[in-house]
Amino acid sequence: MGERRTPETGTGPKKAVRNQVRGEAGNVVQADRIAGDVHIHRDVYLFVTGGFGVLRDGNPVRARPLSMAGCTSSDARAEIVATVGGAIEQVWPDSAPRRPEPEAAGEAARPGSAPPPVETEPRTLVLDGIDEASEPERVLREVLAPVAGHGIRLVLAFRSGSSAALRVARELWPEQDGDPEVFLARLDLLARAVDELAQRENALHRHHAHVAGRIAGAPAVPDRAIELRLVVTGLRRDDPGMAPEERAQRLARAEADVEATSRLLRERRGELDSLVERRDDLRGLLEAYRAQAIDHGFVEDVVLDEPYRRSHDALWRRGPCDLDAATELVRGYGAAVRARIGPA
């Protein structure tokens, strides 16, 4: 974590933000929360959250991000002032206090000079739903653009990757692939994403073992986290033989691989759960047929007992259940029950 500015160290707030934000912004990224679009500038991170909704902040900087949904530019400014403190107002030209006369200030005023860095907390400000603001472009241009780089790093979340607001944000803060700090920030985010991927892979392998021991045809689970960790380790090495362009390409490929593997893990989890659900549905259907037979007085019936026993064994047997075969057995038992009961 970066140092806070103190009289003893004299560390400037902008440097502190740059050192500190990697951990803070990285903690924003949670499993299944980011749709896969991460755009990094020195002063601003842009995330697309897609249908997952609110961007969560795992760092004590804020319990929750500020939601910009429905906000005007005035609303956004008020929210930021309430969160950061009144000193932030000096970054907005129309609300900055009047500067002292040059004589009083002891130095010549410099027309057009930027406001001084604002020393405030939190140093990373997370704002969600930028494209759902009532005035998203004004919020970006008039409120957030002056804030960026003045002692505060912005983490901005957009719900749609195709929104006009996101295009404006990318124009305001172009991605800086060649910047070493940006590269390291992306690499830190990638490392966190790979760690999360490894946890999800391990959990899914346990779930797969549970399902595959009971149901045949369970799909395999991908193993990509180990290889991706090696990629991260390799990119952290300062290899003089690797050109910057090659490092950037490897980083981009690894980011895309993490995103693709994350999607595949979700698909595999859904497929495994569908197998369990299908087996449970067949069990319920078998018992429903059994209850129907009992209701009509066929408690022990030589015609029905054998197909019921075979269906029951197929669904509750030790070892993997063949769902296709079990489906046919349950259907056969249901047909036998209907035939035994006869017309209504």
Side-chain angles (χ1 to χ4, degrees), residues 42-104:
R42 270 180 174 262
D43 301 315
V44 182
Y45 283 13
L46 308 179
F47 290 93
V48 177
T49 56
F52 295 116
V54 175
L55 190 67
R56 297 189 301 176
D57 185 0
N59 191 276
V61 171
R62 277 196 57 77
R64 294 182 63 84
L66 294 177
S67 175
M68 293 291 101
C71 285
T72 64
S73 57
S74 298
D75 296 334
R77 184 181 298 196
E79 288 278 3
I80 293 172
V81 169
T83 302
V84 176
I88 191 64
E89 292 187 341
Q90 65 185 294
V91 306
W92 296 307
D94 60 343
S95 61
R98 183 183 304 177
R99 293 173 179 266
E101 295 298 324
E103 296 79 11

Side-chain angles (χ1 to χ4, degrees), residues 87-169:
I88 191 64
E89 292 187 341
Q90 65 185 294
V91 306
W92 296 307
D94 60 343
S95 61
R98 183 183 304 177
R99 293 173 179 266
E101 295 298 324
E103 296 79 11
E107 61 179 9
R110 292 178 295 171
S113 59
V118 179
E119 194 168 348
T120 56
E121 293 290 349
R123 290 175 177 165
T124 297
L125 189 61
V126 183
L127 298 101
D128 182 61
I130 302 294
D131 45 354
E132 293 189 348
S134 63
E135 301 174 328
E137 185 167 347
R138 290 191 63 189
V139 168
L140 287 165
R141 294 187 185 277
E142 300 177 12
V143 180
L144 299 179
V147 171
H150 287 283
I152 295 178
R153 176 68 67 89
L154 296 178
V155 175
L156 309 182
F158 297 77
R159 299 294 172 83
S160 171
S162 60
S163 70
L166 181 56
R167 289 195 294 273
V168 170

Side-chain angles (χ1 to χ4, degrees), residues 206-330:
R206 292 192 294 271
H207 187 52
H208 177 272
H210 174 82
V211 174
R214 292 158 177 78
I215 303 173
V221 175
D223 284 300
R224 295 289 296 125
I226 293 177
E227 184 176 345
L228 285 165
R229 274 179 169 155
L230 292 176
V231 172
V232 171
T233 301
L235 288 172
R236 287 201 188 280
R237 296 197 189 100
D238 187 11
D239 184 355
M242 188 186 301
E245 296 79 9
E246 183 182 355
R247 294 185 78 208
Q249 290 172 0
R250 289 190 182 184
L251 176 60
R253 285 197 299 268
E255 289 170 337
D257 200 351
V258 167
E259 181 184 350
T261 305
S262 182
R263 287 197 303 268
L264 185 57
L265 289 177
R266 286 195 294 271
E267 292 171 5
R268 288 291 182 268
R269 177 74 193 211
E271 291 166 0
L272 291 170
D273 290 345
S274 293
L275 290 176
V276 175
E277 183 179 357
R278 183 180 169 194
R279 184 205 62 184
D280 292 346
D281 286 346
L282 285 172
R283 286 178 171 180
L285 183 60
L286 177 64
E287 294 310 307
Y289 286 146
R290 175 69 168 169
Q292 189 178 25
I294 292 173
D295 287 345
H296 285 80
F298 300 106
V299 178
E300 295 182 4
D301 186 270
V302 292
V303 176
L304 298 180
D305 284 351
E306 178 61 18
Y308 173 77
R309 183 189 61 76
R310 292 174 60 201
S311 299
H312 188 277
D313 288 349
L315 289 169
W316 273 272
R317 62 183 294 182
R318 294 178 64 88
C321 167
D322 184 333
L323 289 179
D324 291 337
T327 298
E328 292 304 314
L329 289 171
V330 172

